[in-house]
Amino acid sequence: MGKYDPESGFRKLTGILYWIVTIGLFAFSVFQLYTAIFGVFTAQIQRTIHLGFALSLIFLLFPASKKKRKKKRFQITWLDGILSALSVVIGLYWPLNINELVLRAGRLTTIDLIIGFIAIILVLEAARRVVGLPITIISIIFLLYAYFGPYMPSFLAHRGLSLERISQTMFFSTEGILGTPLAVSSTFIFLFLLFGAFLIKTGVGQYFNDLALTLAGRRVGGPAKVAIFSSALQGTISGSSVANVVTSGSFTIPMMKKLGYKKEFAGAVEAAASTGGQLMPPIMGAAAFLMVEFIGHGITYWDIAKAAAIPAVLYFTGIWIMTHFEAKRIGLRGLDKSEVPNKIAILKKIYLLFPLVGIVFLLMTGTSATRSALWAIVFTILVGAVNKATRMGIKDIFDALVNGARTALGVASATACAGIIVGVVTATGLGLKLANGLVTLSGGILILTLFFTMIASLILGMGSPTTANYVITSTIAAPALILLNVPILSAHMFVFYFGIIADITPPVALAAFAASGVSGGEPIKTGINSSKLAIAAFIIPYIFVLSPELLMIDTTWYQTIWVVFTSLIGMISIGAGMIGYWMRRVTPIERIIAIAAGLLLIYPGSITDAIGLASVIILFALQFILKIKDKNHTAPLPSAQK
């Protein structure tokens, strides 16, 4: 996994170093649980301690170069030790000096200035090691833009920030590194990642695979549908498309290849499905909680989860339909009965899903995200205790706390680094400048602005994890849509979708490349196939901007049911057009009609629905009649006529 996912490339330490890091990770989780139960500290204290824990552990766990990552065991270098020690200083600077810093009210001493720049350097280096180069390079470009503002082209120019102002903004305010992204990481996100670690420890991850096998394994093209089902479920506890690909793909891709799917298609199914896991409520790679903070305006978590539900269902429906039609087209079967787990045995363990149901219920009923995550961890321990095989002892709980903290390191570094970008945008007014630039470039035409925003989001989302991805796209790209009076939730969901599917969009398609590493297929072809399967993710965001009913904004239950019905029929039609098969092969003209009819059905509106439904019914009838004719032509003659 480490080849494609930097967050998985941590050191395999031994001896005293192993115990130092392990105890550090355990202490990190204990700190977060303590503040979740008894209340968080002052913003600067909570966030700097969180940051100090994360940075100091990153430099001990993650080597500076990829060459060193290939070695299974090696010692920590003196430079790593120095960087880790400096991270501890950064983490303690605010807690130890808060009274003086508050009294000085932004007037920095020389020591403050130095500490601020050390914090910036440490955050950039930690993000490079854990998350990768893309977000680090973007952050550096933004810092250079902040300093060299007067020398920028006219529409991007600003008076420039002094070194003192940069240091003050980045570390001595809540606008930069210690801003909203890190605030969410130091509260909600950490607890949900901890919840995921407890779920995995109780075997829920394996149960997702077994449940998917039981429900979908014997259907036409079964392994592909297993990949879709299990990846959608894994996405509820995974914060990474790449990690999702490698976790479930190592199980599903070989099955798909064995059944007869081409390498590139098998990898594409897993990549598209795993990426979709980040779009699936309730957790959405933790972006749902960031959205609550970024959007404000009385938007609750439940508003976001509800809005994301129909698009996510359509996304996975599209992949499911296309894999089904592909399997029918090339004549693939499902798995044998012997290859599928016993249904009764699997259904007896359905109680393992209770923590997920419980957390959704708590969030729906208005319980805070922090309390919901805490209760979900308790539910997981209690549910695991039902069966001896999943029961958690002291060691298991200790391991879950350690693993949860390790998972959180990437998110903490990514959100801190994203905070640099947000800080520069806020201090320079860059967000509005870029928004005006996009609107000017499109001539104020909404559809063109959407297209340019899509391109910007795809580029900005390349190589960034979900949380940082959303922070960047919502800060830079979303304001352009809001300027054109697009509803704020629709604008944020639009950039979120395109930032996420950058993971399967060539040329930098990390999830697709990871899947090709498992399947042995050609990476770019796998990425192209992934984009084809994920066609819904390229269409639906346009629809919910142009017609917010798809996000259940200002709709009745009757309208919602009708929108879901017509959209699902639309996805079937688009799937048939994309694959070129329905009940039989689809001609080129039929494919065009099928895709057009599907788009009309997905777009809410009585006229578009009527035209789309009529077209689909005609196509269905034509396919049905031609299929019967094909059967009659190929039927064997009676013996008397032979």
Side-chain angles (χ1 to χ4, degrees):
M1 192 188 295
K3 180 179 178 182
Y4 299 99
D5 184 13
E7 293 180 45
S8 302
F10 53 84
R11 290 171 164 134
K12 314 296 185 203
L13 298 172
T14 58
I16 188 67
L17 291 174
Y18 166 81
W19 284 109
I20 289 172
V21 171
T22 300
I23 292 169
L25 291 167
F26 175 74
F28 193 7
S29 287
V30 170
F31 166 75
Q32 294 292 156
L33 286 172
Y34 175 84
T35 56
I37 295 169
F38 298 105
V40 298
F41 295 114
T42 304
Q44 290 90 339
I45 293 177
Q46 177 78 18
R47 298 171 198 180
T48 48
I49 293 177
H50 177 81
L51 182 66
F53 263 120
L55 294 180
S56 61
L57 290 165
I58 283 169
F59 292 120
L60 296 179
L61 265 175
F62 292 84
S65 67
K66 287 186 177 180
K67 289 181 181 179
K68 291 183 178 181
R69 285 183 190 178
K70 293 178 182 178
K71 299 179 182 179
K72 289 189 175 180
R73 285 184 170 84
F74 49 86
Q75 296 298 310
I76 293 169
T77 67
W78 62 269
L79 179 60
D80 295 327
I82 291 173
L83 294 176
S84 183
L86 286 172
S87 300
V88 173
V89 172
I90 294 300
L92 294 175
Y93 196 76
W94 263 100
L96 295 178
N97 300 284
I98 187 165
N99 292 331
E100 292 179 28
L101 290 169
V102 170
L103 287 172
R104 287 205 298 270
R107 295 188 302 276
L108 303 187
T109 65
T110 303
I111 296 294
D112 293 340
L113 186 67
I114 293 169
I115 287 291
F117 277 101
I118 290 174
I120 293 170
I121 292 167
L122 291 175
V123 166
L124 291 171
E125 172 60 10
R128 184 191 70 81
R129 292 190 183 198
V130 185
V131 184
L133 271 175
I135 189 173
T136 310
I137 292 171
I138 292 172
S139 298
I140 291 170
I141 290 171
F142 272 74
L143 286 170
L144 292 173
Y145 170 77
Y147 186 73
F148 292 105
Y151 308 101
M152 293 291 119
S154 57
F155 81 100
L156 288 176
H158 62 94
R159 66 176 62 183
L161 303 184
S162 66
L163 293 177
E164 183 176 354
R165 177 77 188 282
I166 290 173
S167 178
Q168 194 275 330
T169 300
M170 291 303 146
F171 192 68
F172 294 97
S173 75
T174 53
E175 299 294 332
I177 291 171
L178 305 183
T180 300
L182 192 67
V184 179
S185 173
S186 66
T187 50
F188 313 142
I189 294 178
F190 189 99
L191 292 175
F192 277 89
L193 293 174
L194 201 56
F195 168 52
F198 273 85
L199 281 178
I200 291 168
K201 200 65 183 175
T202 55
V204 172
Q206 182 57 45
Y207 181 71
F208 285 160
N209 290 336
D210 292 341
L211 183 62
L213 264 176
T214 303
L215 297 178
R218 299 198 66 194
R219 299 178 182 276
V220 173
K225 292 172 181 175
V226 170
I228 297 164
F229 198 162
S230 64
S231 294
L233 291 171
Q234 291 279 3
T236 61
I237 61 173
S238 169
S240 165
S241 304
V242 175
N244 200 348
V245 166
V246 178
T247 302
S248 55
S250 58
F251 163 73
T252 58
I253 290 173
M255 282 201 304
M256 283 188 270
K257 287 169 62 181
K258 181 180 177 183
L259 193 65
Y261 283 108
K262 291 181 180 178
K263 294 176 183 177
E264 287 79 12
F265 191 85
V269 170
E270 182 58 52
S274 292
T275 300
Q278 307 300 294
L279 308 172
M280 174 66 74
I283 298 175
M284 298 164 61
F289 306 107
L290 278 166
M291 268 191 215
V292 173
E293 300 297 319
F294 270 57
I295 295 176
H297 299 281
I299 293 287
T300 64
Y301 164 82
W302 178 238
D303 293 326
I304 290 166
K306 184 176 68 172
I310 294 177
V313 168
L314 293 180
Y315 179 89
F316 281 103
T317 300
I319 302 173
W320 183 285
I321 287 164
M322 281 189 264
T323 55
H324 175 78
F325 287 153
E326 177 69 9
K328 295 281 283 184
R329 186 180 71 83
I330 60 180
L332 301 183
R333 59 172 180 81
L335 295 172
D336 293 331
K337 189 174 182 179
S338 60
E339 298 175 281
V340 177
N342 181 273
K343 186 178 290 187
I344 302 299
I346 293 301
L347 292 178
K348 280 182 178 178
K349 296 181 181 178
I350 198 73
Y351 63 85
L352 287 172
L353 297 181
F354 174 73
L356 286 173
V357 176
I359 199 170
V360 172
F361 174 78
L362 289 170
L363 289 166
M364 282 175 58
T365 52
T367 306
S368 71
T370 301
R371 289 290 164 186
S372 298
L374 281 172
W375 277 113
I377 292 170
V378 174
F379 293 158
T380 305
I381 295 171
L382 294 176
V383 163
V386 172
N387 190 297
K388 187 177 180 181
T390 57
R391 193 170 299 148
M392 298 184 74
I394 298 298
K395 184 181 183 303
D396 295 317
I397 293 174
F398 179 83
D399 288 343
L401 291 170
V402 169
N403 292 336
R406 186 186 291 119
T407 304
L409 297 180
V411 176
S413 62
T415 50
C417 202
I420 292 175
I421 297 168
V422 175
V424 172
V425 169
T426 304
T428 62
L430 178 62
L432 187 59
K433 294 176 190 291
L434 290 174
N436 286 326
L438 281 173
V439 172
T440 302
L441 185 64
S442 65
I445 300 169
L446 179 58
I447 196 69
L448 283 177
T449 306
L450 289 171
F451 177 76
F452 292 138
T453 305
M454 175 190 77
I455 299 300
S457 299
L458 286 170
I459 293 170
L460 291 167
M462 288 178 178
S464 298
T466 304
T467 45
N469 191 322
Y470 168 68
V471 171
I472 296 168
T473 55
S474 63
T475 304
I476 297 172
L481 303 182
I482 296 169
L483 272 181
L484 294 180
N485 298 316
V486 171
I488 190 167
L489 181 54
S490 298
H492 279 255
M493 287 291 287
F494 184 90
V495 298
F496 172 61
Y497 255 68
F498 284 112
I500 292 300
I501 60 174
D503 274 354
I504 52 172
T505 308
V508 183
L510 291 183
F513 291 175
S516 69
V518 178
S519 69
E522 205 279 314
I524 295 296
K525 283 184 181 178
T526 302
I528 292 170
N529 277 316
S530 297
S531 300
K532 181 179 173 183
L533 287 169
I535 188 66
F538 290 91
I539 298 169
I540 292 169
Y542 284 90
I543 304 299
F544 62 56
V545 166
L546 298 172
S547 187
E549 291 94 328
L550 210 58
L551 297 180
M552 290 192 270
I553 296 175
D554 298 327
T555 57
T556 63
W557 280 107
Y558 166 79
Q559 290 172 319
T560 300
I561 291 168
W562 180 251
V563 165
V564 172
F565 170 73
T566 54
S567 297
L568 290 175
I569 300 296
M571 284 313 307
I572 292 172
S573 186
I574 289 173
M578 294 296 294
I579 297 298
Y581 192 93
W582 197 339
M583 286 177 281
R584 63 188 296 279
R585 290 189 181 276
V586 179
T587 65
I589 294 176
E590 289 174 333
R591 292 178 77 165
I592 294 169
I593 294 171
I595 292 171
L599 291 173
L600 289 170
L601 283 166
I602 292 174
Y603 186 88
S606 54
I607 296 174
T608 55
D609 287 347
I611 297 171
L613 275 174
S615 303
V616 169
I617 289 168
I618 292 168
L619 274 175
F620 179 84
L622 183 62
Q623 283 277 303
F624 184 74
I625 293 166
L626 291 174
K627 184 180 180 181
I628 291 173
K629 283 186 176 181
D630 290 343
K631 281 186 177 179
N632 290 337
H633 283 306
T634 57
L637 293 170
S639 56
Q641 292 179 295
K642 287 184 180 179

